[in-house]
Each structure stands twice: as C-alpha cells, then as structure tokens.
C-alpha cells in the first residue's frame, strides 16, 4: 500500500514537471528577470558577483543558475537562454512538492497527495515557477525550514537541525523579505505552543540541547556568509547583507508605485472579471482552505494527523497573509509566500470533508466537485502559461513585455548583418531613467552597445539608435543640428510600425541611411516584395 502511494506521489511530481517545463522561452523576460539574467552573465563571464545592498536581492538565484548553465555548456553571456534561466525556478517549484514527502507521518498520505496535486496545478504556483525571480526559491526554503524543524522535533536528530540552519541561511541569502517570514514563523510558533500546550512547552524548553542550537546557528550563518561573500571573494558582502535591512525599512514606506489596498492579493487570487471566456480565480483552493482552517482550529482533524503541525501551518499562513496584505507596496508574486500555505490547508479541508461524510452518494458528489475544480485550475494554468502568458487579462501578468521585444531584437539582428562590423556594430539605446529593460537581455549578442539615460551630445552617433519618444527631439538635434554641414547623415526609421518595451512604454528606432539601403536592397527579392506589399 505504501508503495502504491509513493508511486502516486512520483506521478504527481512528474505531472507538475510536465506542466512547468515546456516552452520556457515562449514568454518575454520581465524587467526583473532580465536584470537577474544580466547579473548571471557577469558571474559566468567574469566570475564576478558583488551583492548590491541598495537594490536587487540576494545571490542564491544567480549561483544556483550556474548549475544548468554549466551542464548545458553555456559559458558566456550570449550563450545563455531562457530555458537555462527558468529551469532553476521550475526546479524549486517542484521542490515544494518533494518537500511534502518528509511530512507524510505528520499530515498523512491523503493530505500530502492532495497538497501535491493542488501545488502542481495552482495557476499562480505554476506561473511563477516559470519566472526567473527569487520568490519561488524563498517559498521553497521557508517550507524547508518548517519540514526540517518538524522532523527534528520528532527524531531529535542533529542532521535535521543542520538542514534547518541551511534553509534559514538560504532564505537570508535569497531575499530581504525573509525577515517577514521569520516573524510570521516565530509568532505562529509562540501562539501554537503557549495557547494550546503552555505547560508541555515550558517543560520541553528545559530539555533544549545547546549543542544543537549551536549547530543550527553555525549552519545558518555559514550558508549565508558563503553566498553573500561570493564564496569568500567579496567579504564586504557579509556586512552589506545586514546593512540592507535598514535600506529596505526606509524604502518600505516611501514607494510611490505599486501601491495597492490591503485586499489586493485576495482580489487577484479570487476575483477577476471574465475575459476571453476565462474566469481567472483560485476560489476553489480558497474555499477548501477555509474548511481546513475550521477543521484544525476546531480540533476536528483525524487522529492520524499531527494537529500541532497543521495548526502551525495554519497560523503561519494566516499571519503571513495579514503581514503581506498590510504592506502598501505589492507585487503579485508575493502571494506565493502565503498561498502555498493555503494550498496545504485546502488539501486538509478536502480530506476532512471526505473523512467526515458517510453517505456514498454525497462522497461521490464531493469527489466529482474536487475533480471538476482541479480540472478548472489545470485549465487556467495551461491557458495562463501557454496562451495568455503575456496578456494583461491574465492576473499574474504584471507590467510585462509582450511580443514586440522579439520583433525589436529580430530587426536589429537583421539590419546589423549588413554592417561591415556585423554584431560589433555600434548601437545606442537611449531611454530616460534607464527604462530600456528588458533590452539588455535581448541584445546581449551585441558587445558595442551604449546604454544611456539621456542623449550624449559629445559622442559620435551610432549607426543604429533606439530611443524613447521623450528624447527623440534631443536625438534629432544631435543628428542634424550639431554636426557641421557635410558631416550629417540621414537616419531612417528602423521599425515599420509602433513598438513597445512594455504596455504603454514605446521605443523608436533609427538606422543610418547607408546601412538602411544595404539592408533594404541587398535582401532576397521575395523579402523586398513583401516589404513593398506591406507599405502599400
């Protein structure tokens, strides 16, 4: 029987991989993804990573990305591709399912299998498992802390203490918001211990082994130091990893973008007006999670379930939900932190409902409801990741580049072929405030690109120029007013139509006429005829 359940668990894990792995390059990289990709390129080419405590986050994502890059033989920045980047977050999305296995004795196979299925098909869990940012890593490491702590309390084996320290260190080395997660864990632990078992908790505290506490501390600090110091190449990173908290506390109340009301996370999870015939909602998981909360707090869980474990997960989930919701600055991937807890509680709610009903007809109806709801979640996941992957109607698409970035890249490639320097042609990208992302990723094969916040009047104009509309007049002055007569070259539009980096963020392109003529007239006749047809 155990073998059959283990086989089912492996099938769930493989199914989750099948959903997450295909077409990882179908969606353009988000700005945040592109920034992390550029930092990975610096690490690969120059063995250079220095933690920046002012911006960005911790180094784990970049260092773990070295594994698929090396395995795939990608040792330069231009050789990297979207699969190498996003397979890292796919792995940690699958790790969330795999980490359920050590909790079988505490949650029971029905909850473990159900939680695995819900994690595998939850639209938000799938979408951000295919997204090259830190959030899914932070959630996986957070769950690793919970799993390791539980296994230690049951076995008192020092190995689990060391694993717990490793996961804590990885949390710290992943993202500064780990401090919020630690706060939620600590508060949940205190409430669970002293509200339900005050006497037993006091007795247990007397039995603490300080050598195990030391092992926990050393493993956590050791892992954190290892990553933040860039494996001892940048000792300053250790200090910066602490200083950064003052920076983020100062910034927390000073954001003027991405400010949303407290209920925003729950709204995008539960209610989004139907578009394209799709009702985007994870209300199915939310409803069963409420039932799970009721079961654990009312003491109605099966005797085969460790109520302390499930109650801790419930408390941690609710506290983290409140904390994240209270912070005005919000981005949609943050929901992963508490939604993973809702997924586990939904599994507990489904198992509780099935275990308390004796009527076979009613049980059959509930099973049908579970199958129908799961099918709907899977359908949303497939649509959200393989059809509406960059459409703003998808609630998890957030200020996301669309297909235009591919067209921009392809046009620059096509024109550069006709320049004597080929990919070494000089290119200027000029956008106010450095708002040219994700182009540094998509133009990574061109080594001679100038990235500018303003038009530099002192440098010669490049054969290819990309510019934001607000700086176009300054560019025209540089091209046509500053050069003396006889030294001015005519520039032609690079794009045939309107192009955006992101929704409402236009980019325009210009190419020197001599290069434009070579590109236009030296191409195969069929291509030129297609261009003439487009113009007509």
């Amino acid at each position: 029987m155990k073998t059959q359940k283990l086989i089912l668990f492996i099938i769930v894990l493989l199914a989750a991989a099948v959903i997450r792995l295909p077409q990882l390059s179908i969606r353009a990289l988000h700005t945040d993804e592109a920034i992390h990709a550029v930092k990975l390129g610096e690490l690969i080419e120059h063995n250079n990573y220095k933690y920046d405590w002012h911006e960005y986050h911790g180094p784990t994502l970049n260092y773990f990305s070295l594994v698929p890059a090396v395995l795939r033989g990608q040792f330069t920045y231009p050789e990297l591709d979207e699969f190498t980047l996003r397979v890292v977050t796919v792995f940690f999305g699958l790790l969330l399912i795999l980490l359920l296995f050590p909790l079988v004795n505490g949650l029971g196979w029905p909850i473990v299998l159900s939680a695995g299925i819900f994690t595998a098909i939850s639209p938000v869990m799938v979408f951000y498992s295919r997204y090259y940012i830190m959030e899914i890593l932070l959630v996986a490491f957070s769950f690793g802390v919970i799993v390791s702590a539980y296994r230690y309390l049951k076995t008192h084996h020092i190995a689990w203490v060391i694993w717990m320290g490793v996961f804590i260190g990885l949390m710290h080395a992943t993202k500064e918001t780990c401090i919020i997660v630690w706060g939620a864990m600590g508060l949940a632990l205190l409430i669970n211990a002293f509200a339900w078992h005050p006497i037993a908790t006091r007795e247990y505290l007397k039995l603490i082994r300080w050598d195990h506490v030391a092992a926990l501390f050393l493993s956590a600090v050791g892992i954190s130091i290892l990553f933040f110091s860039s494996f001892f190449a940048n000792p300053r990173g250790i200090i910066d990893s602490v200083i950064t908290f003052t920076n983020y506390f100062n910034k927390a109340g000073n954001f003027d973008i991405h400010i949303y009301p407290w209920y925003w996370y729950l709204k995008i999870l539960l209610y989004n007006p139907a578009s394209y015939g799709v009702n985007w909602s994870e209300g199915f998981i939310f409803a069963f999670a409420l039932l799970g909360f009721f079961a654990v707090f009312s003491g109605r869980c099966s005797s085969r379930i460790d109520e302390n474990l499930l109650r801790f997960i419930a408390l941690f989930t609710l506290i983290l939900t409140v904390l994240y919701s209270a912070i005005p600055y919000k981005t949609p991937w943050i929901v992963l932190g508490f939604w993973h807890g809702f997924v586990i509680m939904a599994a507990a709610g489904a198992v509780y409902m099935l275990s308390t009903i004796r009527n076979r007809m009613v049980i059959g109806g509930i099973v049908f409801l579970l199958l129908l709801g799961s099918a709907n979640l899977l359908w949303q996941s497939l649509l959200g990741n393989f059809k509406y992957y960059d459409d703003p109607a998808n609630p998890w698409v957030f200020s996301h580049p669309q297909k235009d970035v591919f067209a921009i890249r392809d046009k620059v490639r096509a024109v550069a072929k006709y320049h004597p320097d080929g990919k070494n042609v000089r290119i200027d990208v000029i956008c106010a405030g450095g708002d040219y992302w994700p182009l540094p990723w998509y133009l990574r094969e061109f080594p001679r690109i100038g990235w500018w916040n303003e038009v530099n009047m002192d440098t010669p104009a490049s054969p290819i120029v990309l510019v934001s509309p607000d700086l176009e007049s300054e560019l025209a002055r540089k091209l046509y007013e500053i050069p003396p007569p006889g030294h001015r070259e005519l520039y032609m539009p690079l794009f045939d139509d309107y192009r955006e980096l992101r929704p409402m963020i236009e980019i325009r392109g210009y190419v020197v006429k001599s290069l434009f003529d070579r590109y236009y007239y030296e191409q195969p006749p069929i291509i030129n005829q297609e261009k003439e047809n487009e113009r007509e």
Side-chain angles (χ1 to χ4, degrees):
M1 191 67 177
K2 289 183 178 180
T3 302
Q4 293 175 339
K5 292 173 180 176
L6 182 59
I7 291 173
L8 284 175
F9 184 77
I10 294 173
I11 290 173
V12 170
L13 189 63
L14 292 175
V18 168
I19 296 170
R20 285 159 172 76
L21 281 170
Q23 302 182 55
L24 286 175
S25 62
I26 191 174
R27 175 176 48 79
L29 258 64
H30 186 272
T31 292
D32 291 355
E33 293 182 282
I35 290 172
H36 297 315
V38 170
K39 291 175 75 68
L40 174 60
E42 294 173 356
L43 178 59
I44 284 180
E45 290 195 336
H46 308 294
N47 193 26
N48 177 34
Y49 180 94
K50 287 188 176 180
Y51 173 65
D52 184 346
W53 65 275
H54 294 93
E55 295 289 346
Y56 317 122
H57 299 295
T60 55
L61 180 65
N62 298 116
Y63 278 107
F64 281 121
S65 300
L66 291 177
V67 176
V70 171
L71 290 177
R72 302 186 72 214
Q74 297 173 345
F75 298 105
T76 66
Y77 179 44
E79 289 176 329
L80 294 172
D81 59 22
E82 288 85 352
F83 182 88
T84 294
L85 303 180
R86 289 170 172 159
V87 75
V88 178
T89 50
V90 166
F91 170 81
F92 285 101
L94 297 177
L95 182 61
L96 277 176
I97 298 175
L98 191 60
L99 283 171
L100 288 164
F101 182 72
L103 297 182
V104 165
N105 291 335
L107 298 178
W109 273 112
I111 292 181
V112 165
L113 288 171
S114 299
I117 292 171
F118 290 160
T119 305
I121 62 177
S122 164
V124 64
M125 302 300 290
V126 176
F127 193 83
Y128 289 122
S129 290
R130 294 163 51 88
Y131 214 90
Y132 190 62
I133 57 174
M134 283 83 172
E135 209 62 41
I136 197 72
L137 277 70
L138 181 63
V139 178
F141 298 146
S142 302
F143 193 42
V145 172
I146 294 172
V147 172
S148 302
Y150 176 75
R151 294 298 301 161
Y152 173 72
L153 290 174
K154 290 300 178 183
T155 65
H156 298 285
H157 199 290
I158 193 171
W160 288 110
V161 164
I162 295 173
W163 271 114
M164 182 165 52
V166 167
F167 283 122
I168 290 173
L170 288 171
M171 287 177 68
H172 182 223
T174 297
K175 196 174 180 185
E176 296 78 6
T177 51
C178 64
I179 196 169
I180 300 174
V181 183
W182 292 340
M185 284 182 177
L187 187 55
L189 183 63
L190 289 174
I191 295 173
N192 194 34
F194 289 101
W196 273 271
H197 307 287
I199 298 176
T201 299
R202 293 188 185 96
E203 292 300 318
Y204 190 85
L205 290 174
K206 296 176 182 178
L207 302 176
I208 288 178
R209 292 190 55 174
W210 293 106
D211 56 334
H212 286 194
V213 173
L216 172 67
F217 177 80
L218 291 174
S219 56
V221 172
I223 287 293
S224 178
I225 287 175
L226 201 63
F227 280 95
F228 277 114
S229 68
S230 301
F231 290 79
F232 306 112
N234 176 38
R236 172 70 195 188
I238 302 169
I239 299 172
D240 290 341
S241 72
V242 178
I243 295 175
T244 189
F245 287 109
T246 62
N247 177 50
Y248 273 83
F249 284 140
N250 289 334
K251 291 169 65 175
N254 296 320
F255 282 105
D256 55 2
I257 59 173
H258 307 324
I259 302 299
Y260 298 99
W262 68 267
Y263 55 81
W264 187 71
Y265 289 135
L266 294 177
K267 179 182 179 299
I268 58 175
L269 281 164
L270 305 180
Y271 175 73
N272 300 278
S275 56
Y276 309 116
V278 184
N279 290 304
W280 304 98
S281 174
E282 301 206 32
F284 172 77
I285 287 178
F286 185 79
F288 275 96
L290 292 181
L291 190 60
F293 287 123
F294 168 76
V296 71
F297 289 126
S298 63
R300 301 189 183 189
C301 291
S302 167
S303 58
R304 289 171 290 184
I305 296 174
D306 189 327
E307 275 199 357
N308 284 314
L309 171 61
L310 194 59
R311 187 165 50 240
F312 171 82
I313 293 173
L315 288 167
F316 168 63
T317 300
L318 292 174
I319 293 169
L320 195 58
T321 303
V322 171
L323 291 176
Y324 278 145
S325 298
I327 299 172
Y329 178 83
K330 294 177 173 66
T331 49
W333 42 82
I334 294 294
V335 303
L336 294 180
F338 64 82
W339 193 245
H340 178 241
F342 271 90
V343 165
I344 295 175
M345 296 309 300
V351 171
Y352 165 71
M353 176 176 280
L354 289 172
S355 65
T356 55
I357 295 173
R358 299 291 178 263
N359 187 297
R360 291 185 178 181
M361 291 290 291
V362 176
I363 290 176
I366 295 172
V367 170
F368 177 76
L369 177 64
L370 287 168
L371 292 174
L372 189 64
S374 298
N376 177 262
L377 290 176
L378 177 59
W379 180 61
Q380 289 184 60
S381 289
L382 296 177
L383 287 178
N385 286 279
F386 303 107
K387 187 173 182 179
Y388 303 116
Y389 48 83
D390 62 358
D391 194 312
N394 181 343
W396 306 119
V397 171
F398 187 69
S399 187
H400 204 98
Q402 297 178 304
K403 295 182 180 67
D404 275 4
V405 295
F406 299 125
I408 295 168
R409 175 201 61 191
D410 294 343
K411 192 60 174 285
V412 172
R413 280 178 178 174
V415 172
K417 287 180 182 178
Y418 292 88
H419 192 277
D421 294 333
K423 290 183 178 179
N424 286 316
V425 61
R426 288 187 297 109
I427 302 173
D428 282 334
V429 181
I430 312 167
C431 296
D435 195 14
Y436 37 64
W437 294 92
L439 288 183
W441 166 257
Y442 286 101
L443 300 180
R444 64 191 182 281
E445 63 199 82
F446 299 96
R448 299 180 66 195
I449 296 184
W451 302 98
W452 305 94
N453 297 326
E454 59 185 12
V455 178
N456 189 327
M457 300 297 181
D458 300 324
T459 60
S462 293
I464 300 174
V465 181
L466 301 177
V467 62
S468 56
D470 54 329
L471 295 176
E472 201 170 30
S473 60
E474 285 293 298
L475 176 63
R477 192 164 74 88
K478 173 178 179 174
L479 298 179
Y480 301 125
E481 295 180 17
I482 292 181
H487 293 81
R488 301 168 185 169
E489 280 200 86
L490 181 65
Y491 276 72
M492 303 293 290
L494 180 63
F495 308 127
D496 296 326
D497 48 17
Y498 179 87
R499 295 296 179 197
E500 290 182 335
L501 290 180
R502 300 185 302 284
M504 307 303 292
I505 306 296
E506 184 186 1
I507 188 81
R508 296 175 184 173
Y510 296 94
V511 54
V512 69
K513 188 176 186 302
S514 57
L515 177 56
F516 177 85
D517 288 344
R518 287 197 296 273
Y519 161 72
Y520 190 85
Y521 292 109
E522 294 180 18
Q523 292 184 89
I526 186 170
I527 296 178
N528 284 325
Q529 183 60 50
E530 289 175 356
K531 288 180 174 294
E532 292 295 341
N533 293 338
E534 289 176 3
R535 289 178 182 275
E536 293 174 2

